[in-house]
Amino acid sequence: MTAINIVASKYLHGTLNTPQRETGVRQLIQRVAETIRDWGWQQGYFATAEDRDTFHDELVHILVQQKAAFNSPVWFNVAATGWSRSVTRRTGTGTSKKARLSFRPLAYKAPQCSACFINSVKDSLDSILTLAKTEGMPVQVG
């Protein structure tokens, strides 16, 4: 039940109780697999349309059968659309403040699809030890 709750609350896109809401894992996988397939096609990764379609079908199979899974940023961000919140603050006279809240459509053109980040290191003992400390912090704090 925990996995179902996580998928429903974190990964499915769309506003609750609307037709735009993804309703299950198959729609989630469809969104991600089709987007990755389309990116590959647009960037010339596949030699033929048949190669493109085979890649898509095999990726869907791997994901549905849970032979492999992407990390959370893929499920969150690939083909993500929604609304971005913008807050404008204005200072009035004295201590009064006014804020204007507006929403604008958002479509991720270059989504963050990785939870891994590359840290730089120089050729010095101090830099190497700093890198080791930086890389070890996620392990320490989870």
Side-chain angles (χ1 to χ4, degrees):
M1 189 64 152
T2 301
I4 293 169
N5 291 338
I6 290 170
V7 168
S9 66
K10 304 291 183 192
Y11 300 147
L12 299 182
H13 284 194
T15 304
L16 283 173
N17 302 318
T18 67
Q20 293 78 28
R21 175 72 173 187
E22 290 174 335
T23 58
V25 172
R26 287 194 183 267
Q27 285 182 328
L28 168 66
I29 289 172
Q30 178 182 359
R31 169 175 49 89
V32 170
E34 287 178 0
T35 301
I36 293 171
R37 174 204 61 203
D38 293 347
W39 287 342
W41 183 247
Q42 292 165 1
Q43 295 175 25
Y45 182 80
F46 306 109
T48 66
E50 183 181 356
D51 291 343
R52 175 200 64 202
D53 295 342
T54 299
F55 170 83
H56 172 268
D57 294 346
E58 289 177 355
L59 179 57
V60 168
H61 171 80
I62 288 167
L63 297 172
V64 168
Q65 297 300 317
Q66 299 181 8
K67 294 179 179 180
F70 291 113
N71 60 6
S72 290
V74 170
W75 301 121
F76 288 138
N77 297 328
V78 169
T81 59
W83 295 93
S84 172
R85 185 176 71 161
S86 174
V87 178
T88 305
R89 297 197 183 279
R90 296 185 187 140
T91 305
T93 58
T95 59
S96 67
K97 291 184 180 180
K98 294 182 180 180
R100 187 182 81 214
L101 180 64
S102 61
F103 293 89
R104 62 184 170 83
L106 172 70
Y108 299 139
K109 292 181 181 177
Q112 174 63 43
C113 296
S114 175
C116 301
F117 300 95
I118 299 171
N119 294 308
S120 65
V121 63
K122 295 178 181 157
D123 191 14
S124 72
L125 183 58
D126 184 54
S127 182
I128 293 168
L129 293 174
T130 300
L131 175 65
K133 180 180 175 186
T134 302
E135 294 290 335
M137 291 307 290
V139 175
Q140 178 184 355
V141 298

